[in-house]
Amino acid sequence: VMFCRLLSVVGRQRTSPGWQNWSSARSSTSAAEARSVALPTQAQVVICGGGIMGTSVAYHLSKMGWKDIVLLEQGRLAAGSTRFCAGILSTARHLTIEQKMADYSNKLYLQLEQETGIQTGYTRTGSVFLAQTQDRLISLKRINSRLNVIGIPSEIISPKKVAELHHLLNVHDLVGAMHVPEDAVVSSADVALALASAASQNGVQIYDRTSVLHVMVKKGQVTGVETDKGQIECQYFVNCAGQWAYELGLSNEEPVSIPLHACEHFYLLTRPLETPLQSSTPTIVDADGRIYIRNWQGGILSGGFEKNPKPIFTEGKNQLEIQNLQEDWDHFEPLLSSLLRRMPELESLEIMKLVNCPETFTPDMRCIMGESPAVQGYFVLAGMNSAGLSFGGGAGKYLAEWMVHGYPSENVWELDLKRFGALQSSRTFLRHRVMEVMPLMYDLKVPRWDFQTGRQLRTSPLYDRLDAQGARWMEKHGFERPKYFVPPDKDLLALEQSKTFYKPDWFDIVESEVKCCKEAVCVIDMSSFTKFEITLNLIGPRAVDVLSELSYAPMTPDHFPSLFCKEMSVGYANGIRVMSMTHTGEPGFMLYIPIEYALHVYNEVMSVGQKYGIRNAGYYALRSLRIEKFFAFWGQDINNLTTPLECGRESRVKLEKGMDFIGRNALLQQKQNGVYKRFTMFILDDHDTDLDLWPWWGEPIYRNGQFVGKTTSSAYSYSLERHVCLGFVHNFSEDTGEEQVVTADFINRGEYEIDIAGYRFQAKAKLYPVASLFTHKRRKDDMELSDLHGK
C-alpha cells in the first residue's frame, strides 16, 4: 500500500531515467520481468540498502549535485529494520553529534511531506523521560543542559507536570522527568519512501530485488560492484545494508570490518483505548523501567530493552527481507509488567500482537559511519543501535558531505568507522558484547563505567603481576589498563560497586598515587599506547636515581636533556630505549622495552626503587596529572580536526625553518587569519569537591553568560585542590551566531561558568598551565588564581 501510494504520487512526474527503471520493475507482475531489467554498467556511486539510511544518503548526495547514483535494494524498499521501526524520533542523546543528527532529522522529516507529497505520519508529540531515582534525574539534567545549548527546547519537570502531560501514567514513584516538546513520531517506512522519491526525481536510479554480492577493489580503491544482475563500475560504494552490513563488508575482495550484530527486539501493539489516545500524546521513556511507550492509532505501542537480550544470526546470512520473528511472551513478560505498573489502566486492554524484529547494535553503542581505512571510496553508514529513525536524516547528510567535500560539516570523530580494529570483528566477541550493549541502552551510565564483556583481549606481560598488587582495570580498544591500585586495607567489593556522579570512593587512592608521582617515583604500565612495543612510564623526581642505579649511566639533565632519547641497558636487558619525557608533565622517563624483557625490567625497577618509595600508579592518577599540566589527549581532547594553533602547540610547529610539510600553507594562513576555537584550561572557583556534582566531560562552558563550548575532559587536581576542566572556547556572534576569531584577549577578558547538570560554577580560564603552583605548595584559601601564569 505504501509503495502504491508512492507510485501514485510521482506517477505524473516520471521524467528521470532512474524513476522509469524503478517504477517499471516494481509495477511488473512477473518476477522474470523484474529480473530482466538491465542495470547501468557504470555509475559514480552505488549505494547498497533501501532503508532509511540508504535513501537518506541518496537524497542528500542528489541535493548536493551528484546525479550519477545507483541505489540497490535486495528486497523491497524500506522492508528491513526501517519497516519495523517503532517510529519514535528522539533528540535526547548523550553525545552532542547524536543530538545534532537527530535535530536535523526532525526538521527534515517535518518538511518532507511538503517537498514530496508523500504523507510520512509526522506528528510532533514531544517526549517525556522519567526518573525514578536521583541519579537518573542527574543524568537527565546533564542531557538537558546539552540540549539547551544547541537550541533544542527541553526542561526538567515535576511528577505533577508529568501527570498533566499524560493522564494515564502512574507518577507516584517518580522524582522528576525531562520534557522535550519538539520530539516527534513518524512512519519510518514512509519517510524512507519519501526520501527515495525525492532522490529519484533528482536523478538517482533505484532498483529493488537486486542483491550486491561483493565489492570489487583494485589497489585499495573501489572499482565496482558485482550484483546478481551484473556488474556496475563505480568510484564510490556506500554500505547501508543494516544487519547485513557485517557480512557484506567481509565479502569484499579486500574485506572491510564493520562490527555490528543483531538482537531480537520486541514491542507490543494494542487496540485503541475506550477513549482513544490523542495523536499528540507525548512519547514516554521510562528507562528505569526499561520501556518506552507511544500512541499508536489511539492505542499503545510499547517496547524496551530487556536485561537478557537474544542475539540472532551469529552464524551468518539470514533472510533477504526482515519478517516478524516468533513471539516470545515469556521473554517479554518483565517489560509487560513494567508497562502495567506505569499505566495500570492498560490491564484490561486488548493486545493485537507482539512484534519481534531484528535490530543491530555495535560494540560501543555508537553508530558507524565514514570511509574504510582499508579501501578508498568504501563508505559505511550502519549500526544504529535502535536509533535509525532519529539519526537517519542527519547521518545521511554528514556522510554525503564527507563524500562530496572530503569531510562533514560537523565533527563526527566519535562515530568514525576507524575507531574499530580487527579485534572487534570476531563473531564470538560481537555476540557476547551486544548481549551487554542492548541492556545498557537504558541502564544508568555514571562516569567512568566500563564494558564487562570482551575483556582481557589484550594484556601486557605485567598484567598478572599488577593484578596481584590490587590493580583495578579499565579497557581501551581491547587493551587492559590499570585505573588505580587498591591498598590491602581497602574494601575491594565496595570500590567496584561504587558508582556516582559525585566524589568517588577511589578519591583517596588516586591522591596517594599522584602524591607519589610528585614526591618520589611511580611506575605506570602504558603498553596500550603502542601496538608494537611495551612502554613502563617511570615518573617522579626519584626516577633519575632509580634509572641511574639500574643502568650505571649518568641521568642528569646535562647528560640527558628533556625530550632526549637513547638506548641503554636496564638491569640485564640491553637495547632499552629511554626517552626523557612523560605523559603527565612530571619529571621522569619513558622506557620502550622489547616484550620479552618487560617483566625483568619491571622487577628490577621495583626492586631498586623500594628505597625511594616506589609504587604503582594507574591511569586515573595519570589523568589528574596531565590535566593539571594542561596536556591534551588524542581522541578525547583533540582529534584529526584540531590544528596545533588551536590547542596551544604552535611551538612544536617549525613554520620558520623553511621546511615544507603537509598542511604548512594552511597553518600559515590560519596563523595570519586567526583561529576560531582555542583550547583552554578552566579552574573551578566555587565548587565543593565533597558536596557538589563533579564535572566529568561534555559540560557546557559559558562566557559572560553566553555558551561558548564544552569541556572535553576534567579531573580533580590534588595540587591545586580544585577541579580542572579542559575544553575549546568558541566566539559566536550574538547577532548572527557565526563563529569569529578567538584571540588570547577574548579568552582572558571573559567571566566563565561551567554548567554541571544545570548548576553553573564560576571558573578561571587559562591558556597556559598554572606552573607556579608546582614549585611550592600553597593553601587553598590563600590562592589568588588571577596572579598565576596564564594571563
Side-chain angles (χ1 to χ4, degrees):
V1 175
M2 290 184 294
F3 210 99
C4 291
R5 183 163 69 248
L6 174 59
L7 288 178
S8 66
V9 167
V10 297
R12 298 183 299 275
Q13 300 172 328
R14 297 178 181 177
T15 56
S16 74
W19 181 258
Q20 291 170 359
N21 287 339
W22 182 30
S23 61
S24 63
R26 285 301 308 151
S27 60
S28 171
T29 58
S30 164
E33 286 184 53
R35 286 195 297 268
S36 69
V37 174
L39 296 179
T41 58
Q42 61 182 26
Q44 183 182 15
V45 182
V46 172
I47 301 170
C48 177
I52 202 161
M53 293 300 153
T55 55
S56 178
V57 173
Y59 171 88
H60 287 94
L61 283 175
S62 65
K63 286 281 187 180
M64 298 173 68
W66 283 20
K67 304 299 183 185
D68 190 12
I69 302 167
V70 173
L71 186 149
L72 305 177
E73 164 57 43
Q74 64 181 355
R76 296 166 297 164
L77 283 182
S81 299
T82 299
R83 171 187 169 200
F84 286 96
C85 176
I88 298 171
L89 197 161
S90 171
T91 54
R93 306 288 167 179
H94 285 280
L95 297 181
T96 298
I97 185 60
E98 293 179 342
Q99 293 174 351
K100 290 182 176 181
M101 289 196 303
D103 187 42
Y104 175 83
S105 297
N106 199 347
K107 294 179 172 65
L108 173 65
Y109 303 163
L110 176 62
Q111 58 89 30
L112 261 184
E113 184 171 333
Q114 180 180 358
E115 179 182 349
T116 65
I118 297 176
Q119 294 182 359
T120 61
Y122 182 96
T123 305
R124 181 159 283 174
T125 61
S127 298
V128 179
F129 297 79
L130 310 181
Q132 296 182 30
T133 66
Q134 288 296 332
D135 274 348
R136 177 70 68 180
L137 189 60
I138 290 169
S139 179
L140 293 177
K141 287 179 178 179
R142 289 174 63 87
I143 296 174
N144 183 70
S145 294
R146 298 174 189 178
L147 289 174
N148 290 336
V149 297
I150 64 172
I152 299 177
S154 173
E155 63 174 338
I156 300 298
I157 60 175
S158 67
K160 180 180 178 181
K161 179 65 174 177
V162 173
E164 294 174 3
L165 290 169
H166 200 306
H167 67 279
L168 294 180
L169 293 186
N170 172 15
V171 300
H172 293 97
D173 60 343
L174 302 182
V175 298
M178 179 176 70
H179 183 212
V180 187
E182 293 186 359
D183 279 357
V185 297
V186 72
S187 167
S188 54
D190 286 337
V191 167
L193 295 175
L195 290 168
S197 172
S200 176
Q201 294 188 52
N202 279 332
V204 176
Q205 302 180 65
I206 301 177
Y207 300 85
D208 64 356
R209 309 291 186 184
T210 306
S211 296
V212 175
L213 303 179
H214 69 274
V215 179
M216 298 180 289
V217 179
K218 185 175 182 180
K219 295 182 178 179
Q221 167 73 50
V222 168
T223 60
V225 296
E226 178 79 33
T227 79
D228 59 353
K229 296 179 183 176
Q231 293 185 356
I232 306 176
E233 294 181 0
C234 63
Q235 299 170 257
Y236 299 93
F237 176 76
V238 188
N239 186 337
C240 296
Q243 64 172 310
W244 296 276
Y246 174 87
E247 291 288 337
L248 181 58
L250 295 183
S251 71
N252 306 331
E253 295 176 357
E254 295 186 24
V256 173
S257 174
I258 307 169
L260 49 79
H261 197 290
C263 286
E264 295 184 22
H265 180 58
F266 300 86
Y267 61 81
L268 60 78
L269 301 170
T270 76
R271 299 284 183 191
L273 279 70
E274 185 174 342
T275 302
L277 287 178
Q278 297 295 313
S279 61
S280 59
T281 302
T283 294
I284 303 298
V285 177
D286 184 1
D288 295 312
R290 314 196 71 81
I291 57 171
Y292 58 82
I293 311 165
R294 59 154 289 193
N295 166 66
W296 186 75
Q297 299 182 4
I300 289 295
L301 183 157
S302 180
F305 299 97
E306 63 272 27
K307 291 184 178 180
N308 56 334
K310 300 169 67 176
I312 49 177
F313 307 142
T314 304
E315 68 282 356
K317 293 198 172 184
N318 50 77
Q319 70 267 31
L320 292 181
E321 293 182 1
I322 294 178
Q323 307 297 327
N324 194 19
L325 303 174
Q326 185 175 357
E327 290 185 347
D328 190 341
W329 283 103
D330 290 338
H331 190 80
F332 189 74
E333 192 279 332
L335 301 183
L336 178 59
S337 297
S338 185
L339 170 64
L340 294 178
R341 284 193 300 271
R342 186 57 59 205
M343 299 181 69
E345 293 185 30
L346 298 184
E347 186 75 46
S348 59
L349 196 62
E350 182 182 356
I351 296 174
M352 287 180 57
K353 66 168 15 176
L354 179 64
V355 176
N356 179 5
C357 56
E359 179 60 65
T360 55
F361 298 87
T362 63
D364 61 358
M365 299 189 294
R366 299 175 183 175
C367 71
I368 298 173
M369 65 187 305
E371 187 174 18
S372 164
V375 180
Q376 188 176 354
Y378 192 117
F379 285 81
V380 177
L381 186 57
M384 292 296 127
N385 301 281
S386 200
L389 177 67
S390 296
F391 296 160
K397 173 178 181 283
Y398 294 147
L399 194 78
E401 292 172 342
W402 204 330
M403 296 172 66
V404 174
H405 302 304
Y407 50 88
S409 57
E410 293 287 345
N411 183 356
V412 298
W413 173 262
E414 294 166 301
L415 313 178
D416 197 321
L417 169 64
K418 290 188 283 291
R419 72 186 186 273
F420 294 119
L423 66 90
Q424 285 98 353
S425 289
S426 157
R427 287 189 189 275
T428 304
F429 167 81
L430 289 171
R431 180 180 178 87
H432 291 168
R433 174 55 68 84
V434 297
M435 292 176 70
E436 179 183 14
V437 163
M438 188 172 171
L440 281 170
M441 300 302 295
Y442 276 177
D443 278 356
L444 180 65
K445 293 175 282 294
V446 298
R448 310 260 173 97
W449 61 273
D450 298 295
F451 287 109
Q452 299 304 307
T453 53
R455 298 298 297 268
Q456 299 184 23
L457 279 172
R458 308 170 77 186
T459 60
S460 86
L462 307 181
Y463 179 85
D464 289 341
R465 185 66 52 87
L466 299 179
D467 194 61
Q469 296 181 72
R472 295 299 95 199
W473 301 94
M474 60 191 291
E475 173 260 338
K476 185 75 168 180
H477 201 61
F479 224 121
E480 296 294 331
R481 293 174 159 185
K483 296 187 287 191
Y484 49 79
F485 289 80
V486 181
D489 59 336
K490 286 284 185 179
D491 185 340
L492 176 61
L493 184 62
L495 275 171
E496 287 296 283
Q497 295 177 344
S498 173
K499 298 178 180 179
T500 179
F501 289 99
Y502 290 88
K503 181 180 179 180
D505 286 347
W506 43 255
F507 181 87
D508 294 337
I509 296 175
V510 176
E511 179 180 28
S512 63
E513 293 179 6
V514 168
K515 183 177 181 181
C516 187
C517 288
K518 289 181 168 295
E519 299 177 1
V521 57
C522 273
V523 174
I524 301 181
D525 180 4
M526 298 177 65
S527 305
S528 60
F529 270 49
T530 173
K531 297 180 177 63
F532 306 107
E533 295 175 318
I534 292 295
T535 307
L536 287 128
N537 199 344
L538 194 62
I539 298 171
R542 306 310 298 268
V544 170
D545 303 307
V546 174
L547 274 187
S548 294
E549 282 198 37
L550 283 170
S551 62
Y552 296 100
M555 305 295 293
T556 63
D558 291 337
H559 296 88
F560 215 123
S562 177
L563 296 180
F564 189 76
C565 180
K566 65 180 178 181
E567 285 194 359
M568 55 194 300
S569 63
V570 177
Y572 295 154
N574 285 319
I576 308 300
R577 269 177 282 172
V578 179
M579 181 179 290
S580 55
M581 66 161 287
T582 68
H583 288 87
T584 65
E586 297 300 320
F589 303 90
M590 299 288 296
L591 277 65
Y592 294 85
I593 308 168
I595 197 166
E596 63 271 19
Y597 293 149
L599 192 57
H600 167 75
V601 172
Y602 173 79
N603 290 337
E604 291 291 300
V605 167
M606 294 301 287
S607 177
V608 171
Q610 289 301 315
K611 59 187 173 186
Y612 300 109
I614 198 169
R615 63 177 294 171
N616 294 299
Y619 274 71
Y620 284 8
L622 184 150
R623 179 185 280 115
S624 174
L625 289 165
R626 68 98 177 168
I627 286 178
E628 71 181 17
K629 289 295 182 66
F630 205 6
F631 279 20
F633 257 30
W634 176 262
Q636 182 172 351
D637 298 306
I638 57 178
N639 54 42
N640 61 341
L641 298 179
T642 312
T643 74
L645 304 184
E646 295 167 344
C647 63
R649 301 300 184 268
E650 56 268 26
S651 62
R652 303 287 179 91
V653 183
K654 309 302 182 185
L655 291 173
E656 312 303 329
K657 294 285 187 178
M659 299 172 56
D660 195 19
F661 54 86
I662 297 175
R664 181 176 184 272
N665 292 336
L667 285 178
L668 285 170
Q669 185 175 358
Q670 188 178 56
K671 185 175 183 179
Q672 179 178 346
N673 297 337
V675 298
Y676 287 82
K677 61 180 179 182
R678 193 177 285 258
F679 197 50
T680 308
M681 169 190 281
F682 297 93
I683 304 170
L684 297 191
D685 261 358
D686 57 345
H687 184 271
D688 190 311
T689 303
D690 295 316
L691 300 178
D692 290 326
L693 288 166
W694 276 30
W696 295 98
W697 64 276
E699 290 83 15
I701 303 167
Y702 289 88
R703 178 187 181 274
N704 298 344
Q706 182 183 6
F707 171 71
V708 291
K710 293 184 180 179
T711 63
T712 53
S713 62
S714 63
Y716 183 80
S717 166
Y718 294 93
S719 299
L720 297 170
E721 296 183 356
R722 302 189 185 191
H723 261 95
V724 177
C725 302
L726 308 181
F728 284 92
V729 170
H730 301 253
N731 182 4
F732 301 110
S733 169
E734 294 187 23
D735 298 326
T736 65
E738 295 182 356
E739 292 198 53
Q740 300 173 317
V741 171
V742 179
T743 63
D745 189 61
F746 177 84
I747 299 290
N748 292 328
R749 289 184 178 274
E751 297 290 333
Y752 292 89
E753 296 171 305
I754 306 295
D755 183 320
I756 306 177
Y759 300 94
R760 296 191 188 181
F761 295 91
Q762 295 178 1
K764 289 289 193 300
K766 303 294 175 185
L767 286 172
Y768 303 96
V770 190
S772 63
L773 282 177
F774 306 103
T775 56
H776 58 280
K777 179 78 171 172
R778 296 185 184 180
R779 290 184 56 81
K780 178 178 178 181
D781 295 340
D782 297 331
M783 289 183 184
E784 290 296 337
L785 296 177
S786 59
D787 293 335
L788 303 176
H789 270 344
K791 289 186 178 179

